[in-house]
Amino acid sequence: MSAWEIFLKSADESCLVEPGDKILLAVSGGPDSICMLHLFWRTSKKVNIELVAVNFDHGLRKESAKESILVKRLCEKLNIKCVCEKLDVKKYAVTRGVSIETAGRNLRYSNLEKSAVKYKCNKIATAHNANDNAETVLMWLLRGSGSFAGIPQRRNLTKKIEVIRPVLAVKRKDIENYIKKQKLPFCIDKSNFSDEYTRNRIRKNIIPAFERINPCAVDHIYLLSKIQERENAYLEEISINFLKKCAKISKNRILLDLTSFLRYNETIRFRILKNIIPDKKYAFQINAVMAKILSKDRSVYKISGEWNFKVQTDKKALFEKRKNGK
């Protein structure tokens, strides 16, 4: 199927686009977001929806200003309202002590939310595709996250705003074919070719190796992630209900009732811990906490730079925020 056909099928099956929607499109100027912009423009001819495009200049590359101009001109041609904004990603990264990647993502989503509120949009569309999803699954596998769910096709950002990913089922090569066929202008972010980032190394080396073994590798990873996403939703609902019965959560401490907790199935226990462990939630950390509970080891386990865990008694365990780094 073509990118257009997959887009329509996905939007219909998941009810991603409905009459009356006002959708904020995150458009960087790259092939993925330009393809998504054009797909939504075609959809707006068939369905009563309103579109607003937003472009963020991260100020990290000289080409970013030209990319904003390209997006603006294409939106003018398609008669779609376009908003271009500058984000000081470097400053945010330094002041918050986070990586450039994390800073960019945090700023993008916070400003997408602000723009959605400002322009009264009920949905935000991002252009993550099937290859992005496969890269994420493999990245989580390498980091030991304990999940193959990948990128969710939809999630609630606030009570009134939902993030949707309408081209998540579309492979990058299908997007490139669509761009070429429609003769659409686009920009290439050269940082995508750098080996500095884990995702890029997976994109350049691991995914192509998988596809040499099986050309349908990206499709199969997508199907795997969708299966786990459905199972996760079911198990998460059960786990949250049980969590409320065995944990008391406050800002600086989480008290776990082991009598109730240990009655639950091993899978439910793992999910309860994943939900309540502060900061990083890698599988090895969850397993380490579970091992201490089962062995009744009373020594302190340092979960992160800010949080400790300790089994206090046979009936209680405590996650506690450390004071003055101790």
Side-chain angles (χ1 to χ4, degrees):
M1 289 193 292
S2 68
W4 172 242
E5 291 169 326
I6 298 170
F7 173 85
L8 289 177
K9 183 174 183 289
S10 183
D12 180 58
E13 289 178 350
S14 303
C15 299
L16 294 179
V17 181
E18 298 175 304
D21 279 342
K22 188 171 184 181
I23 307 173
L24 185 74
L25 309 177
V27 186
S28 66
D32 303 342
S33 62
I34 291 294
C35 175
M36 182 185 73
L37 175 71
H38 197 264
L39 291 170
F40 268 110
W41 172 76
R42 290 178 67 177
T43 303
S44 68
K45 305 300 178 184
K46 300 173 177 289
V47 183
N48 178 31
I49 58 174
E50 190 174 348
L51 304 174
V52 178
V54 63
N55 171 270
F56 296 128
D57 179 352
H58 292 179
L60 299 174
R61 297 174 293 108
K62 294 178 181 179
E63 303 88 354
S64 57
K66 292 181 180 179
E67 291 165 3
S68 296
I69 293 171
L70 182 147
V71 172
K72 194 168 185 178
R73 286 177 177 171
L74 181 57
C75 287
E76 287 173 355
K77 183 178 178 180
L78 300 177
N79 196 29
I80 295 174
K81 181 180 178 62
C82 181
V83 180
C84 295
E85 298 181 6
K86 289 187 176 182
L87 304 178
D88 196 339
V89 175
K90 283 186 178 178
K91 182 179 178 181
Y92 183 96
V94 171
T95 56
R96 304 296 176 92
V98 297
S99 68
I100 289 291
E101 281 184 297
T102 299
R105 185 183 186 283
N106 290 350
L107 276 176
R108 277 197 304 276
Y109 276 98
S110 64
N111 281 276
L112 281 171
E113 182 181 343
K114 290 175 184 176
S115 295
V117 171
K118 182 177 180 179
Y119 297 104
K120 299 179 181 178
C121 299
N122 64 309
K123 291 177 180 176
I124 296 170
T126 67
H128 294 90
N129 61 45
N131 288 71
D132 293 324
N133 181 72
E135 292 157 12
T136 298
V137 170
L138 294 176
M139 203 157 56
W140 289 357
L141 171 65
L142 293 172
R143 291 176 178 174
S145 70
S147 174
F148 296 108
I151 303 171
Q153 191 158 49
R154 64 195 312 159
R155 69 178 178 89
N156 291 325
L157 187 62
T158 68
K159 290 182 179 180
K160 295 183 178 181
I161 302 171
E162 183 181 31
V163 175
I164 60 172
R165 298 181 171 101
V167 294
L168 193 62
V170 185
K171 288 189 290 189
R172 188 169 287 128
K173 68 177 183 179
D174 293 323
I175 287 173
E176 291 169 354
N177 289 337
Y178 183 88
I179 290 284
K180 185 177 180 180
K181 184 177 180 179
Q182 297 295 331
K183 298 179 181 179
L184 296 171
F186 64 91
C187 302
I188 295 294
D189 182 349
K190 293 180 181 178
S191 66
N192 289 336
F193 301 104
S194 169
D195 283 338
E196 182 180 350
Y197 305 112
T198 301
R199 180 180 290 276
N200 289 356
R201 294 198 293 272
I202 292 172
R203 177 180 300 160
K204 290 171 61 180
N205 303 310
I206 299 179
I207 295 293
F210 277 23
E211 290 183 320
R212 284 194 291 272
I213 296 170
N214 187 333
C216 296
V218 170
D219 294 312
H220 292 168
I221 293 173
Y222 176 75
L223 293 174
L224 169 65
S225 68
K226 295 304 291 182
I227 290 169
Q228 180 149 32
E229 185 181 5
R230 290 193 297 270
E231 293 179 351
N232 276 353
Y234 172 71
L235 291 170
E236 192 69 7
E237 184 178 351
I238 296 172
S239 300
I240 291 297
N241 288 332
F242 285 139
L243 184 157
K244 294 174 182 177
K245 298 177 181 179
C246 68
K248 292 182 180 180
I249 303 174
S250 59
K251 185 178 180 180
N252 296 317
R253 67 198 314 260
I254 300 166
L255 190 64
L256 187 64
D257 180 343
L258 297 181
T259 303
S260 298
F261 175 77
L262 290 171
R263 290 192 189 121
Y264 304 141
N265 173 276
E266 184 180 358
T267 299
I268 300 301
R269 290 182 205 160
F270 186 95
R271 287 181 171 275
I272 288 173
L273 291 177
K274 189 170 185 178
N275 275 307
I276 64 175
I277 287 180
D279 297 341
K280 297 176 182 178
K281 302 171 185 289
Y282 296 143
F284 80 88
Q285 291 170 312
I286 298 171
N287 289 334
V289 169
M290 193 68 242
K292 283 192 173 292
I293 292 173
L294 294 176
S295 66
K296 299 180 182 179
D297 180 351
R298 302 292 174 86
S299 62
V300 174
Y301 175 57
K302 182 181 175 182
I303 294 176
S304 69
E306 294 186 342
W307 287 83
N308 288 336
F309 171 79
K310 184 178 181 181
V311 175
Q312 290 187 311
T313 69
D314 289 347
K315 296 183 178 181
K316 291 182 180 180
L318 179 69
F319 297 89
E320 190 168 32
K321 198 165 189 178
R322 307 209 320 268
K323 297 177 182 178
N324 301 321
K326 297 181 180 180

